[in-house]
């Protein structure tokens, strides 16, 4: 054990391992094929989210509150996927299960940092729909670039401090029993449970994190849509109902895909034992699928981005036609 751990000369003689072993995919049958599937998801995620961020950055007409939130969601999707995928490559493709202590804490920080920003942004988009449908005449005075910028800045700041606290609490743990993390990245729960000293503060923070970024957003989103439905009853025409609801369908799909799989695995774990492989596959899909679907189902499906893409296509067609006509005139 002496070759993988070192003992800090601190008052409590904390034992911090030099390396951890990530064994999440080691016992999953046909893991190589699953890796190829995750690789395809990652490529689509990077391409789609990069495309969304570039469109929003280039088109000044999209520099409005709603698209500030969508831009934030795309950045969070890219950050989370990029934080997770190198570990998947190491374990599945290169068969490297080791990760240094410092790299493990860094990996844990960025995965949960960007994942929690995804959750908050979905909540923020629900707030945008709530104000747009329930208070349409006051929407532009309530949801402004300034207010959206302040909300996003505060969210990033609070999230940063919470994750710094999570990492700080991990550093006070002593790992004298095992260094094998039964997950496919440096997951907070499997990591702190390896400690042989008091991990109650870590457990409490894990519960607080779950409430803040899973249960509370889902409850608030549910309440916002309950208010939206009540407002829709005041609209007399079915055409008005449909037009308002159509703006919510894509967001509801994202909410379902993001929250329900994670919620399901937590409920199953509390109700009884969950098979290890089922847990890891469910968690890996819960992190991978939403990041891929967010730009496809929601961002690229908005009217403004569709109009921008059509405008680019028409412009390119016009240039091709001009080049072709110039070539014909030169030949004549």
């Amino acid at each position: 054990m002496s070759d993988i751990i070192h003992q800090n000369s601190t008052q409590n003689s904390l034992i911090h391992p030099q390396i951890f072993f990530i064994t999440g995919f080691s016992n999953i049958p046909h893991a190589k094929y699953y890796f190829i599937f995750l690789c395809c998801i990652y490529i689509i995620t990077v391409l789609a989210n990069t495309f969304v961020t570039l469109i929003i950055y280039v088109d000044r007409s999209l520099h409005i509150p709603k698209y500030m939130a969508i831009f934030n969601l795309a950045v969070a999707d890219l950050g989370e996927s990029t934080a997770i995928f190198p570990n998947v490559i190491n374990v599945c493709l290169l068969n490297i299960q080791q990760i240094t202590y410092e790299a493990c804490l860094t990996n844990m920080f960025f995965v949960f940092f960007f994942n929690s920003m995804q959750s908050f942004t979905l909540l923020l988009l629900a707030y945008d729909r709530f104000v747009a449908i329930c208070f349409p005449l006051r929407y532009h005075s309530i949801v402004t670039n300034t207010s959206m910028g302040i909300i996003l800045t505060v969210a990033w700041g609070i999230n940063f401090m919470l994750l710094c606290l999570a990492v700080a609490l991990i550093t006070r743990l002593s790992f004298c029993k095992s260094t094998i993390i039964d997950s496919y990245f440096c997951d907070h729960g499997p990591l702190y449970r390896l400690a042989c000293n008091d991990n109650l503060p870590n457990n409490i923070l894990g519960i607080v994190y779950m409430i803040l970024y899973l249960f509370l957003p889902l409850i608030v989103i549910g309440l916002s849509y309950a208010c939206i439905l009540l407002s829709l009853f005041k609209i007399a025409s079915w055409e008005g109902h449909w037009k308002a609801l159509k703006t919510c369908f894509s967001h509801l799909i994202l909410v379902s895909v993001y929250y329900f799989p994670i919620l399901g695995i937590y409920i199953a774990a509390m109700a009884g034992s969950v098979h290890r492989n089922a847990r890891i596959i469910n968690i890996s899909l819960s992190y991978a699928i939403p990041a891929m679907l967010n730009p496809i189902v929601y961002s690229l499906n908005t009217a403004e981005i569709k109009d921008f893409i059509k405008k680019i296509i028409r412009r390119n067609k016009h240039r091709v036609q001009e080049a072709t006509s110039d070539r014909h005139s030169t030949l004549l």
Side-chain angles (χ1 to χ4, degrees):
M1 192 77 175
S2 59
D3 60 333
I4 62 170
I5 63 173
H6 74 275
Q7 186 168 349
N8 290 346
S9 56
T10 61
Q11 199 173 26
N12 295 322
S13 297
L14 295 178
I15 298 174
H16 289 168
Q18 290 179 352
I19 57 175
F20 286 105
F21 294 90
I22 298 175
T23 61
F25 291 127
S26 59
N27 295 321
I28 295 178
H30 309 295
K32 297 281 186 183
Y33 299 105
Y34 187 60
F35 163 73
I36 294 172
F37 173 66
L38 291 179
C39 184
C40 294
I41 291 177
Y42 177 70
I43 292 171
I44 295 170
T45 299
V46 171
L47 292 176
N49 283 289
T50 301
F51 187 54
V52 168
T53 55
L54 287 175
I55 288 176
I56 296 174
Y57 178 78
V58 169
D59 190 358
R60 292 189 173 276
S61 66
L62 299 179
H63 295 182
I64 56 177
K66 176 183 174 181
Y67 285 95
M68 289 174 65
I70 292 175
F71 185 90
N72 187 78
L73 182 62
V75 170
D77 291 337
L78 284 170
E80 182 213 59
S81 300
T82 305
I84 288 179
F85 197 69
N87 284 332
V88 178
I89 293 177
N90 286 340
V91 174
C92 291
L93 187 63
L94 304 178
N95 201 25
I96 300 173
Q97 297 181 336
Q98 301 95 328
I99 185 171
T100 64
Y101 177 81
E102 293 78 11
C104 185
L105 296 187
T106 303
N107 177 250
M108 185 193 76
F109 175 89
F110 282 109
V111 170
F112 284 99
F113 178 79
F114 287 114
N115 183 259
S116 52
M117 285 309 301
Q118 283 179 323
S119 176
F120 176 79
T121 309
L122 290 175
L123 174 61
L124 193 57
L125 289 170
Y127 165 73
D128 177 83
R129 290 298 84 210
F130 167 74
V131 177
I133 294 174
C134 297
F135 306 99
L137 299 179
R138 297 177 56 195
Y139 174 80
H140 293 292
S141 61
I142 296 174
V143 184
T144 63
N145 283 359
T146 302
S147 64
M148 185 64 74
I150 291 172
I151 291 171
L152 289 172
T153 302
V154 171
W156 280 76
I158 293 175
N159 200 26
F160 178 82
M161 290 187 289
L162 182 64
L163 269 300
C164 283
L165 177 61
V167 172
L169 289 177
I170 291 291
T171 60
R172 58 170 288 280
L173 297 179
S174 187
F175 299 92
C176 56
K177 292 180 181 178
S178 174
T179 56
I180 298 174
I181 301 173
D182 192 18
S183 185
Y184 74 107
F185 70 99
C186 284
D187 201 346
H188 180 258
L191 180 59
Y192 82 74
R193 292 190 186 96
L194 297 176
C196 52
N197 59 342
D198 180 29
N199 61 13
L200 181 61
N202 306 82
N203 187 27
I204 292 173
L205 185 65
I207 294 171
V208 169
Y209 180 91
M210 188 168 61
I211 292 172
L212 284 178
Y213 292 106
L214 182 61
F215 291 106
L216 186 60
L218 192 56
I219 291 170
V220 174
I221 290 171
L223 291 174
S224 69
Y225 274 104
C227 295
I228 287 172
L229 287 175
L230 289 174
S231 295
L232 290 180
F233 284 130
K234 299 176 183 177
I235 301 176
S237 66
W238 281 104
E239 185 181 350
H241 282 166
W242 175 249
K243 187 177 179 180
L245 280 174
K246 199 164 65 171
T247 64
C248 302
F249 284 149
S250 298
H251 180 257
L252 284 172
I253 292 172
L254 299 187
V255 169
S256 301
V257 170
Y258 179 87
Y259 290 104
F260 292 150
I262 301 177
L263 193 61
I265 202 69
Y266 276 122
I267 293 172
M270 288 186 289
S273 61
V274 179
H275 193 276
R276 171 193 177 277
N277 290 352
R279 174 178 61 83
I280 290 173
I281 290 175
N282 181 285
I283 292 174
S284 62
L285 292 177
S286 298
Y287 279 94
I289 298 295
M292 178 188 69
L293 289 182
N294 286 344
I296 297 171
V297 173
Y298 190 84
S299 305
L300 296 176
N301 203 31
T302 57
E304 293 86 354
I305 288 184
K306 281 183 177 179
D307 290 341
F308 180 80
I309 294 172
K310 289 176 183 176
K311 191 190 304 179
I312 294 296
I313 292 172
R314 283 196 299 267
R315 189 182 302 167
N316 289 335
K317 279 185 177 179
H318 183 66
R319 286 176 180 173
V320 170
Q321 289 173 354
E322 284 185 346
T324 304
S325 61
D326 289 342
R327 194 177 305 153
H328 281 306
S329 62
T330 304
L331 290 173
L332 293 172

